[in-house]
Amino acid sequence: MNDSKMKVVTLGTAGGPRWWKGDSKDRAGISTAIVVEDRFYLVDAGHGVGRRIRQAGLELGDLGGIFITHLHSDHTIDLLARSVGWYG
Protein backbone atom coordinates (compact mmCIF):
# COMPACT_ATOMS: atom_id res chain seq x y z
CA MET A 1 0.00 0.00 0.00
CA ASN A 2 1.26 3.44 -0.88
CA ASP A 3 1.24 5.50 2.35
CA SER A 4 0.81 8.73 0.39
CA LYS A 5 -2.75 7.61 -0.42
CA MET A 6 -3.72 6.98 3.20
CA LYS A 7 -4.51 9.46 5.96
CA VAL A 8 -6.17 9.57 9.38
CA VAL A 9 -8.75 12.28 10.14
CA THR A 10 -9.85 12.77 13.74
CA LEU A 11 -13.50 13.69 13.42
CA GLY A 12 -14.26 13.84 17.14
CA THR A 13 -12.25 13.45 20.32
CA ALA A 14 -14.78 14.26 23.04
CA GLY A 15 -15.66 11.10 24.93
CA GLY A 16 -17.75 10.25 27.93
CA PRO A 17 -19.99 12.74 29.70
CA ARG A 18 -19.68 16.32 28.51
CA TRP A 19 -17.11 18.12 30.62
CA TRP A 20 -15.77 20.80 28.27
CA LYS A 21 -16.94 24.39 28.26
CA GLY A 22 -17.56 26.56 25.26
CA ASP A 23 -19.23 26.13 21.95
CA SER A 24 -20.35 22.54 21.41
CA LYS A 25 -20.34 22.96 17.60
CA ASP A 26 -16.55 22.75 17.76
CA ARG A 27 -16.60 19.41 19.58
CA ALA A 28 -17.91 16.03 18.52
CA GLY A 29 -18.01 12.56 20.00
CA ILE A 30 -15.33 9.98 19.39
CA SER A 31 -14.87 9.10 15.73
CA THR A 32 -12.01 8.75 13.29
CA ALA A 33 -11.90 8.42 9.51
CA ILE A 34 -9.20 6.34 7.86
CA VAL A 35 -8.97 7.51 4.25
CA VAL A 36 -7.46 5.01 1.81
CA GLU A 37 -7.35 6.21 -1.77
CA ASP A 38 -10.97 6.94 -2.77
CA ARG A 39 -12.67 5.25 0.24
CA PHE A 40 -12.87 6.05 3.92
CA TYR A 41 -13.50 3.82 6.88
CA LEU A 42 -15.15 5.10 10.03
CA VAL A 43 -13.83 4.01 13.41
CA ASP A 44 -16.50 4.64 16.06
CA ALA A 45 -19.59 6.82 15.65
CA GLY A 46 -19.75 9.32 18.48
CA HIS A 47 -22.24 12.17 18.72
CA GLY A 48 -22.12 14.54 15.74
CA VAL A 49 -20.13 12.27 13.44
CA GLY A 50 -22.35 12.99 10.41
CA ARG A 51 -21.73 16.72 10.70
CA ARG A 52 -18.00 16.16 11.15
CA ILE A 53 -17.82 13.87 8.10
CA ARG A 54 -19.27 16.67 5.97
CA GLN A 55 -16.96 19.27 7.54
CA ALA A 56 -13.98 17.07 6.69
CA GLY A 57 -15.05 17.06 3.04
CA LEU A 58 -15.78 13.33 2.96
CA GLU A 59 -18.65 11.93 0.90
CA LEU A 60 -20.93 9.30 2.45
CA GLY A 61 -20.95 7.44 -0.84
CA ASP A 62 -17.24 6.79 -0.30
CA LEU A 63 -17.79 5.10 3.08
CA GLY A 64 -16.22 1.64 2.88
CA GLY A 65 -17.17 0.38 6.33
CA ILE A 66 -17.73 1.16 9.99
CA PHE A 67 -15.64 -0.29 12.80
CA ILE A 68 -16.61 -0.02 16.46
CA THR A 69 -13.84 -0.34 19.05
CA HIS A 70 -16.22 -1.21 21.90
CA LEU A 71 -19.88 -0.82 22.80
CA HIS A 72 -19.85 2.20 25.11
CA SER A 73 -22.49 4.73 24.13
CA ASP A 74 -19.96 7.50 23.45
CA HIS A 75 -18.57 5.33 20.62
CA THR A 76 -21.91 4.15 19.19
CA ILE A 77 -24.51 6.87 19.78
CA ASP A 78 -24.80 7.92 16.11
CA LEU A 79 -24.87 4.43 14.58
CA LEU A 80 -28.65 4.61 14.28
CA ALA A 81 -28.34 7.99 12.55
CA ARG A 82 -26.24 6.21 9.90
CA SER A 83 -29.04 3.77 9.18
CA VAL A 84 -31.47 6.61 8.35
CA GLY A 85 -28.98 9.08 6.88
CA TRP A 86 -26.65 11.37 8.82
CA TYR A 87 -28.20 14.48 10.29
CA GLY A 88 -26.79 18.03 10.52
Side-chain angles (χ1 to χ4, degrees):
M1 175 182 293
N2 183 344
D3 289 339
S4 66
K5 296 187 181 205
M6 184 174 91
K7 67 180 177 177
V8 175
V9 180
T10 54
L11 299 171
T13 58
R18 182 176 173 179
W19 56 267
W20 66 91
K21 296 182 190 252
D23 193 350
S24 63
K25 73 178 179 185
D26 294 331
R27 296 297 305 258
I30 296 169
S31 56
T32 303
I34 309 297
V35 182
V36 181
E37 297 182 356
D38 62 343
R39 308 288 291 166
F40 78 94
Y41 301 86
L42 187 65
V43 180
D44 291 326
H47 178 70
V49 68
R51 171 175 47 91
R52 298 296 288 178
I53 286 170
R54 283 193 307 280
Q55 288 174 340
L58 301 171
E59 297 290 332
L60 287 176
D62 297 334
L63 179 62
I66 300 173
F67 300 88
I68 302 299
T69 58
H70 61 280
L71 296 177
H72 288 171
S73 63
D74 59 330
H75 293 253
T76 63
I77 196 73
D78 274 3
L79 274 177
L80 180 59
R82 172 61 191 119
S83 68
V84 295
W86 298 108
Y87 59 91

